[in-house]
Amino acid sequence: MAADLDSPDAQVDVAIAGGGIAGAWLLRLLSSRGYRVALFEAQGWGADQTLASQGMIHGGLKYALGGALTGASEAIADMPARWRACVTGSGEIDLRAVRLLSDRYYMFAEGSALGKLTTFFAAKALRGRIERLAPAERPAAFDGFQGEVYALNDFVLDTPSLLSELVADLETHCWQQKLTRDTVSAVDNGWRINTADGVIHANCLISCAGNGSARLLTELEIDGFAIQQRPLKQVTVRPNHDTALYAHCLTGIKSNEPRLTITSHTDDRGLLWYLGGKLATEGVARGDAEQIAAAQAELQHCVPWLPWQNSSYQVNAVDRAEPKHARGLKPDQAYAERRGQFIQCFPTKLTLAPDLGDRVMALLPPPSAEGAELTSSQPVPFGRPPWVTD
């Protein structure tokens, strides 16, 4: 039963639980639309899933490798254009300061390995989404490669830079705090949240807590939201060369999934490659040593024109939290569902953050909070990508 609301120290329209891409996007979007927002993150910005992502903003063609457009490929088709508007300053959120790792993403396969996909990629329905490149048009990373290369309209963002820009100037509205039954309680017209700086009344609580969502639902005794985890085992490679690559390897694929999905990043130790795709999904059945051996074999087969001797490897286990699918499959769209004064959210993938914003905005009344505001004395620190170790 809802408790009586004592007079709070501050009033907000929305409290957000979780500081990954979903929470950070909603913090910026709702604040720009006039909503008063308070955000709570238990660890650090992007610490669980977002900084473990590859930063790809993609339009879904990697879900159409069976040679036909699918619900998954089309649900996400307009995301690159929406994100490009943001990074050029004309979208719903100004992301001009975000670091762009690569302005294009590529698909490649050796020889005639693409088979019927060659005809599919040339179809009128895909114009503007994929383009076959002549050898002279290919980026330098493909020097020495003799097969087919296609450019997508997808691109790659630096996720630490993205999070930093989304929360810039809003840090005083954010607390490093885990929401529990001891600090959050339902009241007649919203939620009462106890912080080190005082009591906040929120008209609505939005959970963007990712892998912490199930715990939060249990703590708050909220039923009816089914959640699944989709484990991945990605691999970080520190090569003995300085070539960056952003591409899906399609050589010899036998399913609707790239054999290897490659992004490149840098840290204070230099260049690294971050590997996903089928290697990561099938890798959950392997031990770490087996997964490293599989990654070594895949690089030798998919990218043989680059040297891999003396490279070092690290396995990164990641659990993706999503709304439950009857067959455990990946959701096609972002998810936001409201029950009373509570909204459960999952972006399902980084590229769908704008779609999630649309869905949440459709569930909220106009902003109405007035009166005092609190300033956080416990700002949220930034998390670290999984390849950064002490």
Side-chain angles (χ1 to χ4, degrees), residues 74-98:
E74 297 315 281
I76 203 171
D78 67 340
M79 288 299 109
R82 288 188 66 175
W83 279 90
R84 284 189 187 277
C86 291
V87 299
T88 58
S90 60
E92 57 251 64
I93 294 178
D94 188 345
L95 297 178
R96 283 175 292 178
V98 174

Side-chain angles (χ1 to χ4, degrees), residues 72-387:
S73 69
E74 297 315 281
I76 203 171
D78 67 340
M79 288 299 109
R82 288 188 66 175
W83 279 90
R84 284 189 187 277
C86 291
V87 299
T88 58
S90 60
E92 57 251 64
I93 294 178
D94 188 345
L95 297 178
R96 283 175 292 178
V98 174
R99 182 178 170 221
L100 187 67
L101 295 182
S102 179
D103 188 52
R104 301 296 296 270
Y105 205 83
Y106 302 90
M107 287 182 173
F108 69 98
E110 59 185 36
S112 57
L114 290 177
K116 67 178 182 178
L117 284 176
T118 302
T119 302
F120 174 60
F121 289 159
K124 288 183 179 180
L126 296 187
R127 287 181 183 172
R129 296 173 66 178
I130 187 169
E131 172 190 7
R132 182 179 178 275
L133 299 181
E137 299 172 311
R138 300 172 183 179
F142 289 102
D143 289 351
F145 176 60
Q146 302 301 315
E148 296 290 337
V149 178
Y150 289 81
L152 303 170
N153 64 348
D154 306 350
F155 57 102
V156 185
L157 297 177
D158 177 67
T159 51
S161 173
L162 172 60
L163 289 171
S164 179
E165 189 62 18
L166 286 172
V167 306
D169 303 321
L170 295 172
E171 297 92 343
T172 58
H173 304 289
C174 305
W175 279 258
Q176 186 183 25
Q177 177 179 325
K178 179 184 285 189
L179 297 185
T180 70
R181 69 188 69 187
D182 296 324
T183 58
V184 184
S185 56
V187 293
D188 290 334
N189 55 346
W191 298 88
R192 175 187 172 91
I193 304 172
N194 296 316
T195 77
D197 303 301
V199 177
I200 294 175
H201 173 258
N203 295 336
C204 181
L205 175 60
I206 302 178
S207 173
C208 302
N211 283 310
S213 296
R215 179 202 61 80
L216 182 61
L217 291 168
T218 298
E219 289 274 337
L220 301 183
E221 299 181 353
I222 297 174
D223 298 321
F225 293 101
I227 298 171
Q228 68 184 25
Q229 286 189 319
R230 185 167 48 85
L232 302 172
K233 203 173 242 190
Q234 299 186 216
V235 178
T236 299
V237 185
R238 293 187 181 274
N240 62 348
H241 59 74
D242 59 1
T243 300
L245 183 62
Y246 305 87
H248 301 297
C249 176
L250 306 187
T251 297
I253 60 169
K254 298 177 182 179
S255 66
N256 280 4
E257 183 176 24
R259 178 172 183 166
L260 203 60
T261 292
I262 304 161
T263 53
S264 302
H265 310 262
T266 57
D267 61 10
D268 57 4
R269 295 171 57 192
L271 176 74
L272 60 93
W273 281 29
Y274 196 34
L275 308 181
K278 192 173 183 180
L279 172 73
T281 56
E282 293 188 346
V284 297
R286 304 184 187 110
D288 286 0
E290 291 179 288
Q291 181 67 343
I292 288 173
Q296 291 171 323
E298 288 299 88
L299 288 171
Q300 290 288 353
H301 193 95
C302 291
V303 198
W305 64 92
L306 291 175
W308 297 106
Q309 303 86 347
N310 302 317
S311 298
S312 62
Y313 296 80
Q314 174 186 322
V315 175
N316 308 116
V318 182
D319 286 328
R320 302 296 191 195
E322 304 164 337
K324 188 173 181 62
H325 188 283
R327 291 181 290 158
L329 302 178
K330 291 184 291 186
D332 292 345
Q333 301 173 323
Y335 172 90
E337 184 175 347
R338 179 166 186 154
R339 297 190 182 174
Q341 300 304 104
F342 180 85
I343 298 175
Q344 177 63 54
C345 291
F346 292 103
T348 72
K349 48 189 70 70
L350 183 143
T351 193
L352 281 170
D355 181 49
L356 178 67
D358 294 345
R359 293 170 187 273
V360 170
M361 287 297 301
L363 298 175
L364 290 175
S368 62
E370 298 178 351
E373 291 188 82
L374 287 181
T375 297
S376 171
S377 64
Q378 299 176 316
V380 178
F382 277 86
R384 301 188 300 179
W387 52 80

Side-chain angles (χ1 to χ4, degrees), residues 29-75:
L29 178 67
L30 296 179
S31 296
S32 71
R33 303 289 177 88
Y35 290 86
R36 279 194 180 181
V37 184
L39 183 143
F40 300 88
E41 162 58 35
Q43 301 177 68
W45 293 114
D48 187 18
Q49 296 184 70
T50 299
L51 292 177
S53 75
Q54 294 186 280
M56 293 172 53
I57 306 301
H58 69 92
L61 279 188
K62 70 173 185 173
Y63 301 139
L65 297 181
L69 298 176
T70 66
S73 69
E74 297 315 281

